[in-house]
Structure formats: structure tokens, C-alpha cells
């Protein structure tokens, strides 16, 4: 889906030029370029099925060439919802910027209410079995991203992002017994 109007407009080729409010998500090293408060918001309704909400903000720190950033992404429908919160730090060191992003993720699934009338192609006993075995649960986890940018010349910059360098998720699920 993509997040942030500028990165999406650039066809997701944004890791090397991340230097605006989208940097905490796309490349935390880009936070070293920030010297003022900035924020970005977007909402995407994918094919009328799933809504994605995105908000990102940057706060420059005292001194020069380093900032903190925060991004929140929520998405989902009645069957699956997800929330991801990213906190990032980036600093400019001459021609090289480095950054780290920490994130928390949460997902919840199977909380939708199944309607018998939606399954008319099945017989009653199959519907009963399916409703009794509906799976639901949630997941929680943390992740770490590392970013780097290199200003080769005044007009050429290169970037590298290692997304989810460490990103364990703990899933907990069970079948809902309606009998």
C-alpha cells in the first residue's frame, strides 16, 4: 500500500531521500536532515475494503543535526486490525547520517461476527462446524530498523535501510467454540 504521499508519489524509491516527516518509517537516518517540526498524515481506503491511517511527526532536538520521529499506522477491518508505532532517532555526521527505529506492533484477528446467511452454499451442519471452529486471537511484537544515508555529492545521496533487523512476534490464537 505504501505510506506518505511523497514516498508513494516517488514509486516507493524513498530510502535514499528520506528527509521529511516520512523519515521515521522510510529511513530513520533521514532524521538528521531535519531542523524544524514537521508532520504528515494520510488515509488510504484500499478498494473500499481496508482503511489505512498513517501519521508521522518529527521533533528536532537541541543542537544541530539530530531529531526524534514518531510514526503510527493503523489498518484493518472487522476481521483483522493492526497497529504499528515507530519511534526513531537520526543524526547527521558530516556526509553520513545514521538512524535507528524501534517499533511496537499489535494485531487482532477473528473478532468479526459471522453471519449464517453469508454461507448459503454450505449445508447447515457444515456451517455449524465452521462457526464452532472460528479462530481468533492477537499478536504483539517489537522491531528494530537501522538506516544509513551517504551524501556522495551535493546532488547525489544514497540510502540503505535494514527493516526488521530484529522483529519477533508472539501470536496467541484459539478456536471459538459456539456450542
Amino acid at each position: 500500500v505504501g505510506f506518505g504521499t511523497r514516498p508513494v508519489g516517488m514509486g516507493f524509491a524513498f530510502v535514499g531521500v528520506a528527509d521529511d516527516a516520512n523519515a521515521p518509517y522510510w529511513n530513520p537516518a533521514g532524521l538528521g536532515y531535519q531542523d524544524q517540526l514537521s508532520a504528515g498524515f494520510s488515509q488510504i481506503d484500499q478498494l473500499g475494503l481496508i482503511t489505512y491511517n498513517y501519521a508521522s511527526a518529527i521533533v528536532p532536538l537541541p543542537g544541530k543535526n539530530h531529531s526524534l520521529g514518531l510514526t503510527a499506522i493503523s489498518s484493518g477491518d472487522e476481521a483483522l486490525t493492526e497497529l504499528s508505532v515507530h519511534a526513531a532517532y537520526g543524526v547527521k555526521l558530516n556526509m553520513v547520517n545514521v538512524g535507528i527505529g524501534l517499533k511496537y506492533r499489535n494485531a487482532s484477528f477473528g473478532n468479526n461476527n459471522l453471519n449464517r446467511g453469508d454461507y448459503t452454499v454450505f449445508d447447515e451442519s457444515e456451517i455449524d462446524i465452521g462457526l464452532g471452529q472460528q479462530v481468533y486471537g492477537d499478536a504483539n511484537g517489537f522491531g528494530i530498523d537501522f538506516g544509513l544515508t551517504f551524501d556522495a555529492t551535493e546532488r547525489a545521496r544514497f540510502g540503505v535501510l535494514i527493516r526488521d533487523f530484529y522483529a519477533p512476534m508472539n501470536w496467541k490464537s484459539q478456536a471459538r467454540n459456539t456450542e
Side-chain angles (χ1 to χ4, degrees):
V1 172
F3 302 105
T5 54
R6 184 172 168 221
V8 171
M10 294 178 65
F12 310 112
F14 199 70
V15 170
V17 296
D19 61 0
D20 63 9
N22 299 296
Y25 177 80
W26 285 95
N27 188 348
L31 292 168
Y33 296 108
Q34 290 295 310
D35 59 2
Q36 61 185 358
L37 289 169
S38 61
F41 309 93
S42 65
Q43 183 180 51
I44 302 161
D45 186 7
Q46 187 179 28
L47 304 173
L49 299 173
I50 299 173
T51 300
Y52 294 86
N53 300 298
Y54 169 83
S56 190
I58 294 177
V59 177
L61 296 173
K64 277 188 128 183
N65 303 327
H66 64 133
S67 298
L68 292 175
L70 185 64
T71 297
I73 303 167
S74 68
S75 64
D77 58 13
E78 62 184 29
L80 171 69
T81 59
E82 296 182 61
L83 173 67
S84 179
V85 178
H86 305 236
Y89 172 78
V91 62
K92 182 169 181 55
L93 308 167
N94 283 331
M95 296 172 32
V96 175
N97 283 23
V98 294
I100 185 169
L102 305 174
K103 59 187 136 188
Y104 167 75
R105 296 181 179 140
N106 173 270
S108 178
F109 57 93
N111 295 319
N112 53 319
N113 295 319
L114 298 178
N115 182 354
R116 284 181 166 284
D118 293 338
Y119 303 96
T120 57
V121 297
F122 299 101
D123 66 38
E124 287 297 317
S125 64
E126 290 174 316
I127 294 172
D128 290 338
I129 290 169
L131 291 174
Q133 294 177 354
Q134 181 185 359
V135 176
Y136 70 99
D138 59 16
N140 291 288
F142 295 90
I144 300 173
D145 299 338
F146 294 105
L148 176 81
T149 62
F150 173 69
D151 295 322
T153 69
E154 190 175 304
R155 295 179 48 94
R157 181 185 307 155
F158 300 94
V160 175
L161 173 66
I162 301 172
R163 187 178 305 278
D164 294 330
F165 173 78
Y166 179 75
M169 290 288 287
N170 295 316
W171 292 85
K172 182 178 66 177
S173 62
Q174 60 190 18
R176 180 170 290 139
N177 189 349
T178 60
E179 295 176 12

